[in-house]
């Protein structure tokens, strides 16, 4: 969608918009960190983000990678900077075509700074001279496909002789086909509002979005205000605290809040924040100005962030397994000609990209993995790490690119319990029976609807523990499960040929939507990735080290299990399967503390409770999309 259309919609609804700018990093790890930050900040609800082209046009591939991921994976409207510097028209054509290929519809057309090593700007051979020329070229070669933005300078461009000349150049860019203007940073709000009046007076009538730079550090502030008028109250506030980084950032937030409020009162259509790839200050400014709250719920069309990739515009079904690794799912399905919509269809049809082609990677280097995940020397220490993840003490795991999902927070205590017992959970969702579609935790989809989901657990477990689970499973007729190891040995109590919808929604004037499923062929494809991550993690440690041995052993011998409780009315029902483990653990702890009598009492009371719940579950009608069969005595080979 074009940014100009989003601006018009916001104006019609009477709401100010906000957007973020990021720059493409120079290193691979910097790229990983940026993707994480963009994903988190997308939940603040920016109308769009824009990505710089790189100093002197030095990193176009990095820019295009960020744009592609933002569009496809994070589902946020993206505006790609495009400059004339070192960009002959054949490279401009290539960049525009690649932007279109990933669904990007917005370009910020800029002349750019002088090339490295040059004090004055000159056009490259076969290139364009000015941003006005670039706007005309985009319109000539791509018509109205792209929404085009250009830069405005409230205190004039340094190379312009007068403000009158600068406004004339700005109008020429708009007349050439630009849809909106994003300004250079400033700090004097009354000056900016007066400049807008000057723009309107000469016939510049398109939306003008002011650019605001949060003050992050004294040195960068002084560097960026060269040629910029700064109100005295800001200068007086900065100087006494220039050696206190924390105080500078706090003052910068105060300045940003005040500017944001004054700009909104002045009638701007939106505000563009120069984040410098940092999150905290921008978030605090938005909260302080009342544009978002600490508990704001960002509406989703689906349980995941919908992709803006043109090929995926009809996609409405995904397997649940990649919930915490969306980028991997997008990559492995990028070559599909069609994406599931409505219902999954033939479960044998999906052909996931080979891991050798798309790669299995960790978020961290080996040193960073040690820092974040330590050096577990036995299974108990691995369990403790997973518990720390559930507590929020570590924010990622190899199978989870982000912190524990908000909805899983409602079952956090149970997850901690399971991980303490050796069930290494990597994905989960609680049962939901008719939450409103605008619910702040579980909601998704159009207004006026209701959403449902079955309780789901996915975890790694030892072969011995799996045997105990298999023995228990017939007592819980509402449960379906799949368990598979690295070599493909499969145990299941489903026939495997039909998908099981674990999330669905009912909305006014629409068919029932079933966007999240559990399905065998997809689980088999996910299995390869899930076990490969154990191998990648183990390789972060020395060849003969204990951590490498422990992690390799788990990856080689343990099973990956998913369990669905098909009775979505039973809020905590799925955890009844593990009551015996919890009971045994509590008794063991009590005995270790010399509380034998107490342990026996707990055992008796819990055993009665387990029997009662199991009996109740047997009487409940199964809410499953497929017939349940008895577990196989021998594993199937997938």
């Amino acid at each position: 969608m074009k940014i100009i259309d989003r601006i018009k919609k916001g104006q019609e609804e009477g709401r100010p918009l906000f957007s973020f700018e990021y720059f493409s990093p120079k290193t691979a790890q910097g790229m990983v960190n940026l993707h994480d930050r963009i994903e988190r900040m997308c939940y603040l609800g920016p109308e769009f983000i824009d990505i710089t082209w790189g100093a002197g046009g030095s990193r176009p591939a990095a820019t295009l990678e960020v744009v592609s991921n933002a569009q496809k994976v994070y589902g946020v409207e993206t505006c790609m900077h495009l400059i004339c510097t070192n960009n002959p028209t054949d490279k401009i054509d290539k960049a525009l075509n690649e932007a279109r290929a990933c669904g990007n519809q917005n370009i910020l057309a800029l002349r750019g700074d002088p090339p490295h090593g040059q004090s004055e700007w000159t056009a490259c051979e076969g290139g364009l001279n000015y941003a006005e020329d670039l706007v005309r070229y985009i319109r000539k070669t791509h018509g109205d496909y792209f929404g085009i933005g250009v830069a405005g300078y409230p205190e004039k461009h340094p190379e312009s002789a007068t403000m009158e000349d600068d406004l004339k150049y700005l109008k020429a860019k708009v007349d050439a086909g630009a849809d909106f203007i994003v300004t250079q940073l400033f700090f004097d709000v009354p000056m900016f509002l007066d400049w807008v009046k000057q723009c309107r007076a000469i016939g510049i009538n398109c939306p003008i979005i002011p650019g605001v730079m949060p003050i992050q550090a004294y040195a960068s502030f002084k560097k960026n205000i060269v040629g910029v008028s700064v109100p005295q109250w800001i200068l007086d506030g900065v100087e006494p605290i220039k050696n206190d980084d924390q105080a500078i950032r706090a003052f910068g937030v105060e300045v940003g809040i005040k500017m944001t409020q004054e700009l909104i009162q002045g009638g701007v259509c939106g505000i563009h924040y120069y984040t410098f790839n940092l999150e905290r200050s921008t978030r605090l400014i938005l909260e302080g100005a009342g544009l978002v709250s600490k508990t704001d719920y960002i509406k989703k069309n689906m349980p995941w962030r919908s992709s803006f990739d043109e090929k995926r515009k009809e996609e409405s079904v995904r397997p649940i397994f990649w919930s915490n690794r969306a980028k991997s799912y997008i990559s492995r399905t990028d070559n599909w000609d069609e994406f599931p919509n409505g219902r999954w269809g033939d479960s044998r049809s999906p052909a996931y990209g080979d891991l050798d082609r798309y790669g299995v990677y960790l978020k961290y280097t080996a040193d960073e993995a040690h820092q974040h995940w330590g050096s577990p020397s036995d299974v108990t220490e691995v369990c403790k790490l997973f518990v720390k993840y559930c507590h929020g003490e570590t924010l990622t795991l190899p199978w989870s690119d982000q912190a524990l999902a908000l909805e899983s927070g409602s079952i956090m205590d149970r997850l901690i319990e399971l991980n303490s017992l050796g069930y290494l959970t990597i994905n989960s969702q609680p049962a939901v029976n008719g939450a409103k579609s605008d619910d702040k935790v579980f909601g998704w989809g159009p207004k006026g609807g209701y959403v449902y989901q079955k309780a789901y657990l996915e975890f790694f477990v030892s072969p011995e523990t799996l045997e105990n689970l298999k023995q228990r499973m017939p007592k819980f007729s509402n449960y379906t499960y799949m368990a598979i190891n690295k070599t493909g040995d499969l145990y299941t109590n489903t026939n495997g040929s039909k998908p099981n919808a674990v999330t669905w929604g009912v909305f006014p004037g629409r068919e029932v939507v079933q966007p999240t499923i559990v399905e065998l062929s997809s689980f088999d494809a996910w299995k390869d990735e899930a076990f490969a991550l154990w191998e990648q993690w183990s390789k972060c440690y020395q060849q003969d080290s204990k951590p490498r041995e422990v992690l390799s052993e788990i990856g080689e011998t343990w099973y990956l299990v998913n369990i669905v409780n098909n009775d979505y009315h039973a809020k905590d029902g799925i955890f009844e399967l593990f009551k015996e483990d919890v009971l045994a653990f509590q008794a063991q702890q009590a005995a270790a503390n010399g509380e034998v009598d107490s342990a026996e009492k707990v055992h008796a009371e819990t055993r009665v409770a387990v029997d009662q719940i199991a009996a109740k579950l047997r009487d409940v009608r199964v809410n499953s999309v497929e017939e349940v069969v008895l577990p196989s005595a021998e594993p199937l080979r997938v």
Side-chain angles (χ1 to χ4, degrees):
M1 186 176 183
K2 294 180 182 178
I3 289 170
I4 183 62
D5 295 329
R6 289 181 172 273
I7 293 172
K8 290 177 180 178
K9 183 178 179 182
Q11 290 174 323
E12 291 171 0
E13 297 173 352
R15 58 183 177 86
L17 314 178
F18 60 88
S19 53
F20 305 142
E21 179 174 291
Y22 304 95
F23 62 85
S24 54
K26 296 180 180 180
T27 66
Q29 190 57 44
M31 187 68 78
V32 170
N33 294 338
L34 176 59
H35 287 315
D36 290 347
R37 188 148 291 149
I38 291 175
E39 183 173 16
R40 288 197 303 273
M41 294 182 73
C42 280
Y43 284 97
L44 294 172
E47 206 65 29
F48 68 92
I49 65 173
D50 72 6
I51 312 298
T52 67
W53 188 252
S58 58
R59 297 187 303 278
T63 297
L64 287 162
E65 178 185 343
V66 178
V67 169
S68 179
N69 278 317
Q71 291 280 141
K72 292 181 179 181
V73 181
Y74 309 128
V76 60
E77 204 68 68
T78 307
C79 181
M80 184 181 78
H81 287 208
L82 189 58
I83 64 176
C84 299
T85 305
N86 290 334
N87 253 354
T89 53
D90 59 335
K91 289 186 177 180
I92 290 173
D93 291 337
K94 183 175 185 293
L96 291 171
N97 289 333
E98 290 185 14
R100 288 190 67 155
C102 69
N104 179 57
Q105 260 192 294
N106 299 283
I107 301 294
L108 191 67
L110 307 165
R111 187 200 69 176
D113 296 326
H116 291 302
Q118 297 184 22
S119 58
E120 296 184 2
W121 196 91
T122 56
C124 66
E125 184 177 352
L128 304 171
N129 287 292
Y130 301 107
E132 174 190 348
D133 300 328
L134 181 55
V135 173
R136 292 189 188 280
Y137 186 81
I138 296 171
R139 287 288 177 234
K140 177 183 176 181
T141 55
H142 290 270
D144 291 331
Y145 175 82
F146 287 107
I148 303 176
V150 293
Y153 297 84
E155 298 180 75
K156 83 175 183 62
H157 191 281
E159 297 177 18
S160 293
T162 66
M163 177 59 78
E164 289 74 17
D165 287 342
D166 201 62
L167 289 173
K168 180 180 69 175
Y169 300 144
L170 179 59
K171 188 173 189 303
K173 290 189 283 188
V174 174
D175 291 344
D179 297 307
F180 62 94
I181 297 167
V182 180
T183 77
Q184 178 61 281
L185 66 91
F186 62 89
F187 288 94
D188 189 336
V189 174
M191 176 275 302
F192 164 78
L193 295 175
D194 181 66
W195 176 79
V196 172
K197 292 178 182 178
Q198 295 179 58
C199 291
R200 302 308 186 209
I202 65 169
I204 299 175
N205 297 313
C206 68
I208 298 175
I209 306 174
V212 172
M213 182 196 78
I215 301 173
Q216 308 275 7
Y218 180 77
S220 62
F221 169 69
K222 296 294 285 187
K223 176 182 177 181
N224 284 295
I225 63 172
V226 176
V228 176
S229 60
V230 181
Q232 192 61 44
W233 70 271
I234 296 179
L235 295 174
D236 291 343
V238 165
E239 286 301 322
I241 57 174
K242 62 183 180 181
N243 295 318
D244 187 336
D245 291 345
Q246 184 173 350
I248 283 285
R249 288 191 292 270
F251 181 69
V253 169
E254 293 180 20
V255 173
I257 292 171
K258 180 176 172 60
M259 289 184 64
T260 297
Q261 292 172 333
E262 290 178 354
L263 287 167
I264 291 173
Q265 291 169 4
V268 300
C269 63
I271 301 174
H272 191 62
Y273 293 93
Y274 295 105
T275 70
F276 289 90
N277 290 9
L278 300 174
E279 174 184 358
R280 188 172 186 274
S281 292
T282 302
R283 174 175 56 80
L284 292 176
I285 289 170
L286 292 173
E287 291 175 359
L291 293 183
V292 302
S293 73
K294 293 180 180 179
T295 58
D296 251 2
Y297 167 67
I298 306 304
K299 190 69 176 171
K300 298 181 293 184
N301 292 328
M302 289 290 173
W304 62 84
R305 294 191 69 88
S306 299
S307 174
F308 284 176
D309 187 345
E310 185 68 18
K311 295 190 303 181
R312 294 179 179 268
K313 64 181 180 179
E314 300 297 331
E315 181 183 28
S316 63
V317 182
R318 288 185 185 178
I320 196 172
F321 314 119
W322 283 271
S323 295
N324 297 320
R325 286 178 63 85
K327 185 179 178 182
S328 173
Y329 180 78
I330 296 293
S331 296
R332 295 187 65 184
T333 59
D334 198 43
N335 285 337
W336 288 10
D337 295 325
E338 296 181 0
F339 293 88
N341 62 84
R343 287 174 176 77
W344 187 256
D346 186 351
S347 66
R348 294 166 295 180
S349 60
Y352 293 92
D354 294 334
L355 293 182
D356 289 342
R357 176 178 178 183
Y358 294 97
V360 175
Y361 64 92
L362 300 177
K363 292 171 64 71
Y364 304 126
T365 63
D367 289 342
E368 289 169 333
H370 296 173
Q371 178 184 348
H372 288 276
W373 302 326
S375 299
S377 59
D378 56 32
V379 172
T380 299
E381 291 189 5
V382 175
C383 294
K384 288 179 179 178
L385 174 63
F386 278 69
V387 169
K388 286 177 65 178
Y389 174 75
C390 294
H391 273 300
E393 296 173 15
T394 184
L395 298 180
T396 64
L397 288 173
W399 304 267
S400 302
D401 287 343
Q402 60 275 322
L404 191 69
L406 187 61
E407 66 172 4
S408 290
S410 64
I411 54 174
M412 182 181 69
D413 290 344
R414 297 300 188 95
L415 295 176
I416 290 171
E417 200 171 58
L418 287 182
N419 282 286
S420 299
L421 294 169
Y423 297 91
L424 303 179
T425 62
I426 60 172
N427 199 351
S428 62
Q429 69 177 31
V432 175
N433 183 16
K436 289 186 176 180
S437 59
D438 60 357
D439 184 272
K440 293 183 181 297
V441 177
F442 303 108
W444 55 272
K447 293 181 179 179
Y450 289 87
V451 297
Y452 303 80
Q453 59 189 41
K454 300 172 183 176
Y456 175 81
L457 281 175
E458 186 178 333
F459 49 84
F460 292 101
V461 73
S462 69
E464 297 78 16
T465 304
L466 176 61
E467 283 301 316
N468 292 332
L469 280 181
K470 287 163 54 184
Q471 296 300 318
R472 249 178 260 163
M473 196 62 71
K475 300 177 183 177
F476 298 90
S477 57
N478 285 354
Y479 293 18
T480 51
Y481 82 97
M482 302 173 188
I484 196 167
N485 63 9
K486 182 178 180 179
T487 59
D489 296 327
L490 173 72
Y491 295 96
T492 182
N493 63 351
T494 77
N495 59 25
S497 64
K498 297 180 181 178
N500 185 353
V502 292
T503 305
W504 64 99
V506 181
F507 307 102
R510 295 183 61 179
E511 292 184 355
V512 175
V513 182
Q514 300 179 27
T516 314
I517 62 164
V518 170
E519 185 265 340
L520 182 55
S521 65
S522 299
F523 185 54
D524 184 47
W526 164 242
K527 168 262 297 180
D528 295 334
E529 185 171 333
F531 282 107
L533 287 167
W534 282 109
E535 182 180 359
Q536 291 294 310
W537 185 13
S538 72
K539 288 182 178 179
C540 292
Y541 304 93
Q542 294 295 324
Q543 179 70 43
D544 297 323
S545 65
K546 195 64 177 176
R548 184 160 184 167
E549 177 186 337
V550 170
L551 299 176
S552 296
E553 176 70 13
I554 292 175
E556 292 293 328
T557 63
W558 284 33
Y559 277 78
L560 178 63
V561 181
N562 73 69
I563 299 177
V564 178
N565 180 3
N566 293 287
D567 178 13
Y568 58 89
H569 296 89
K571 183 178 180 181
D572 296 320
I574 198 166
F575 295 100
E576 301 307 325
L577 179 65
F578 308 96
K579 278 289 188 179
E580 291 186 14
D581 301 293
V582 174
L583 174 62
F585 181 70
Q586 291 174 340
Q588 184 180 15
Q589 285 188 318
N593 295 329
E595 301 171 3
V596 178
D597 292 341
S598 174
E600 291 176 350
K601 182 179 179 181
V602 170
H603 187 286
E605 291 176 349
T606 309
R607 180 66 264 170
V608 171
V610 170
D611 289 341
Q612 290 175 343
I613 292 169
K616 179 180 178 181
L617 289 173
R618 281 193 293 270
D619 294 333
V620 177
R621 180 172 171 266
V622 177
N623 295 281
S624 175
V625 300
E626 59 180 303
E627 181 183 357
V628 177
V629 297
L630 292 176
S632 305
E634 296 295 330
L636 303 175
R637 179 69 67 176
V638 174

